[in-house]
Amino acid sequence: MKNFLPKQYKQDKKLNINHNYLSEQFSDHKKIFKKIEKVVRNNDFTLGKNVNDFEKRIKKLLKANYVVAVGSGTDALMLSLKCLGVKEGDEVITSPYTFYATIGAIVTAGAKPIFVDINDDYNLDPLEIEKKITKKTKAILPVHWSGRICEMDEIIKISNRYKIPIVEDSCHAILAKYKNKMAGNFGDFGCFSLHPLKNLNVWGDGGFVLIKKKFFYDKMMLLRNHGLISRNKNQLFGYNSRLDTIQAVVALHLLKKIKFITNKRISNSLYLDKKLSKITSIILKKRQKYLKEVFHLFEFRVKNKKIRLKLIKFLQKKGIDAKIHYPIPMHLQPAAKIYGYKKGDFPTTEKISNTTISLPVHEYIKKKDLNFIIKTIKGFFNES
């Protein structure tokens, strides 16, 4: 096995309208370097003051009860499940339409992922959840795909009825809202990623968790740092999942821009919505007034797999970084064979996986870029 990422980075760099926008986003990196110098002088690389400051800022921004910064979004999910006592033989209900990390976190915690099909909004279908609940079900893990919050009213009703905790995968959804309530505040835990291509990002891996109850906050604080309550005293055997102080510096720097980032992504996406809605050969998501979507990506669907492949090649040839998120749903991944899922188990998930295309809509996409994307898609379908 080789590290495939360097080759991918090199290929993506060749495209003019790119999902990767980090050079522009961190063009002021010298300011960040100066802040990092203080970390070097203070030697507080591990859980230093900037980590505390970041947690306080996030708590205020997202109106959370408690916040704990951790090593990654994946760890945020896994540690939340461990806080709930999830262990070998337990089950966690979730979506098969998600990034691998969601399922990896469930499996690492010791549980079996129990998949539920999605709706055309790419999110869990609440009507399917109840059918999958057993005595082994220890959590419901909805994924707010691409910054659109799941139908949480219905999911919360099911959670309350069966007394099953909710762990939100909000890794795409910072500042997203459902009926004026922000992502991460619906469940017992709300998990976020700071991966370089997230809406709020750092120079490596990082994550954080919003937590409702103090009991779980105290436990999470222990779990992320080996279970230590002091330099010499170990309360329980935990994990090493600490947000590096240097990454907290980067996150704090970018946090000042998060509202601008969010508003620009929304503006770009709604412009695409308006213009692409005139193309009869594509299918757009239906937007809801009670949702504030923050658009980690912009997705649309085409008629079938063959058309999608041709369109992606056409767009990439024109320098547009069209991608598929994701061509293979989680229940059909090689790693999931042990669970016995098969093709046809989740028809809506499979339909979307076979027909979806993602476009970049980050804050450095210009109006001329959007117009070029629109013109290129219209040209492919011969629609004016």
Side-chain angles (χ1 to χ4, degrees):
M1 296 293 289
K2 292 182 179 179
N3 178 7
F4 59 87
L5 287 169
K7 185 179 178 182
Q8 181 183 311
Y9 297 145
K10 192 175 180 180
Q11 285 175 342
D12 289 348
K13 274 278 189 182
K14 295 174 184 176
L15 299 166
N16 297 325
I17 302 173
N18 207 301
H19 279 282
N20 189 326
Y21 53 96
L22 300 179
S23 296
E24 296 96 332
Q25 190 179 52
F26 293 115
S27 59
D28 60 349
H29 57 271
K30 289 182 181 177
K31 292 179 181 178
I32 301 174
F33 287 158
K34 284 187 177 179
K35 294 174 182 177
I36 289 173
E37 281 180 18
K38 292 180 182 177
V39 177
V40 177
R41 286 198 295 270
N42 292 336
N43 308 145
D44 63 342
F45 298 103
T46 305
L47 292 181
K49 181 181 178 298
N50 284 283
V51 175
N52 293 343
D53 293 345
F54 174 71
E55 289 172 342
K56 288 174 187 174
R57 288 277 301 279
I58 285 290
K59 179 181 174 181
K60 184 177 179 182
L61 177 71
L62 301 184
K63 299 175 182 176
N65 290 352
Y66 304 97
V67 176
V68 178
V70 295
S72 67
T74 312
D75 282 357
L77 292 163
M78 186 273 289
L79 292 175
S80 295
L81 293 172
K82 296 309 287 185
C83 273
L84 290 171
V86 169
K87 61 188 183 306
E88 197 76 30
D90 290 338
E91 296 177 349
V92 175
I93 293 173
T94 194
S95 167
Y97 193 83
T98 184
F99 184 61
Y100 323 103
T102 310
I103 312 308
I106 293 169
V107 174
T108 304
K112 177 183 178 180
I114 302 298
F115 295 122
V116 164
D117 207 0
I118 59 175
N119 281 318
D120 283 345
D121 63 357
Y122 296 44
N123 282 341
L124 273 183
D125 181 352
L127 297 177
E128 295 295 315
I129 292 173
E130 217 161 350
K131 301 173 188 176
K132 298 296 181 76
I133 293 173
T134 71
K135 290 179 180 178
K136 296 179 180 180
T137 307
K138 292 299 184 289
I140 300 169
L141 203 162
V143 180
H144 304 320
W145 174 249
S146 194
R148 179 181 176 127
I149 297 178
C150 296
E151 292 295 332
M152 291 309 299
D153 281 354
E154 294 306 312
I155 294 172
I156 288 167
K157 284 178 188 175
I158 294 166
S159 167
N160 291 339
R161 192 178 304 139
Y162 290 91
K163 294 181 170 52
I164 299 170
I166 294 170
V167 176
E168 294 173 69
D169 185 336
S170 304
C171 290
H172 288 178
I174 188 167
L175 291 185
K177 289 183 180 179
Y178 173 89
K179 299 182 180 178
N180 289 320
K181 190 171 182 178
M182 278 193 270
N185 286 294
F186 295 92
D188 297 86
F189 300 86
C191 304
F192 293 79
S193 169
L194 296 170
H195 180 274
L197 291 181
K198 293 298 187 289
N199 294 21
L200 177 67
N201 51 10
V202 295
W203 288 355
D205 279 311
F208 59 92
V209 190
L210 310 190
I211 303 172
K212 269 189 181 172
K213 298 174 183 174
K214 189 172 187 302
F215 169 78
F216 287 135
Y217 167 73
D218 291 339
K219 192 171 181 181
M220 181 71 76
M221 289 289 280
L222 289 170
L223 285 176
R224 75 165 178 185
N225 189 30
H226 300 294
L228 294 171
I229 56 173
S230 69
R231 182 181 178 277
N232 299 312
K233 200 166 185 181
N234 182 240
Q235 185 85 0
L236 54 81
F237 293 114
Y239 303 85
N240 179 358
S241 181
R242 303 172 295 220
L243 181 65
D244 293 334
T245 310
I246 286 172
Q247 301 298 0
V249 169
V250 180
L252 282 165
H253 179 82
L254 201 63
L255 206 50
K256 296 172 186 175
K257 308 176 187 180
I258 190 60
K259 290 184 180 177
F260 162 75
I261 290 167
T262 303
N263 291 337
K264 196 77 172 91
R265 284 174 176 268
I266 293 171
S267 173
N268 286 342
S269 298
L270 294 183
Y271 184 77
L272 284 177
D273 258 1
K274 183 180 177 183
K275 299 296 182 181
L276 293 179
S277 66
K278 297 171 185 175
I279 302 174
T280 57
S281 301
I282 68 174
I283 304 161
L284 297 171
K285 284 183 184 177
K286 186 180 177 183
R287 308 298 172 192
Q288 301 290 354
K289 288 183 179 178
Y290 58 84
L291 289 172
K292 177 186 175 183
E293 298 182 52
V294 294
F295 298 99
H296 175 59
L297 302 163
F298 181 91
E299 317 91 9
F300 65 92
R301 290 190 286 125
V302 294
K303 192 175 180 181
N304 58 48
K305 214 171 184 178
K306 194 178 286 186
I307 292 171
R308 178 176 69 179
L309 181 60
K310 288 180 180 177
L311 177 54
I312 285 175
K313 285 183 176 179
F314 186 76
L315 290 168
Q316 289 179 346
K317 195 174 179 181
K318 299 285 187 179
I320 299 166
D321 189 12
K323 281 186 165 57
I324 305 169
H325 294 84
Y326 295 97
I328 307 172
M330 289 311 306
H331 68 290
L332 299 179
Q333 289 288 342
K337 281 183 180 178
I338 58 171
Y339 302 118
Y341 293 109
K342 62 187 185 302
K343 196 172 181 180
D345 282 347
F346 307 105
T348 305
T349 296
E350 291 171 31
K351 174 186 72 175
I352 288 175
S353 286
N354 287 331
T355 57
T356 192
I357 296 176
S358 303
L359 297 171
V361 284
H362 55 76
E363 61 272 26
Y364 294 98
I365 298 284
K366 299 179 177 66
K367 192 76 167 278
K368 66 176 184 178
D369 299 326
L370 296 173
N371 286 330
F372 182 68
I373 291 170
I374 294 158
K375 182 182 176 182
T376 305
I377 295 172
K378 283 181 176 179
F380 177 83
F381 288 113
N382 293 315
E383 295 193 34
S384 57

